[in-house]
Amino acid sequence: MSAIVGFSDGSDWSVGRRGWNSLLDRTREQLRAQGLDSLQWEIFDYGVDFEAHPEHIRRPLARALLAAARELQIELGAQEGWDAGNGPYFGSLVELLEREAA
């Protein structure tokens, strides 16, 4: 089973369960560290839909997911021998989240 991230511009991105679970855990850690505990319940084991959220939720949530994706991209890239900026899982997600968080 995979998870889907839906963006406010209508685009989407999907990833397998293993990759999403890592992103989900790290995103929730980011939100707690930023004092945004309530937002950790806006991201689910099946994904997140930014289009469904108002801007005051969408942007901080996108920033936390972006930070998690960047961290994991580097960690997984080192483990797997990927180019840290263009790994197979998170390269396009990072680009989409940068637009969403702006």
Side-chain angles (χ1 to χ4, degrees):
M1 185 170 174
S2 63
I4 297 176
V5 179
F7 293 91
S8 60
D9 67 1
S11 62
D12 60 11
W13 179 87
S14 65
V15 68
R17 172 66 57 203
R18 182 175 151 228
W20 181 249
N21 285 343
S22 297
L23 280 168
L24 179 62
D25 291 343
R26 191 65 61 96
T27 301
R28 287 183 172 161
E29 288 174 17
Q30 288 281 335
L31 291 167
R32 286 190 297 271
Q34 295 172 30
L36 300 170
D37 296 31
S38 63
L39 293 186
Q40 66 182 321
W41 308 114
E42 303 297 335
I43 186 169
F44 306 99
D45 18 340
Y46 53 82
V48 63
D49 183 7
F50 288 110
E51 193 169 16
H53 295 294
E55 187 174 320
H56 72 277
I57 292 174
R58 184 174 64 240
R59 285 193 173 168
L61 187 57
R63 287 183 191 120
L65 184 53
L66 176 59
R70 284 179 172 155
E71 286 177 5
L72 286 169
Q73 185 77 8
I74 292 167
E75 290 173 21
L76 293 173
Q79 289 174 4
E80 303 292 330
W82 302 335
D83 173 349
N86 298 305
Y89 287 130
F90 306 130
S92 61
L93 176 63
V94 167
E95 293 172 18
L96 291 165
L97 286 168
E98 286 172 342
R99 287 196 303 256
E100 193 69 49

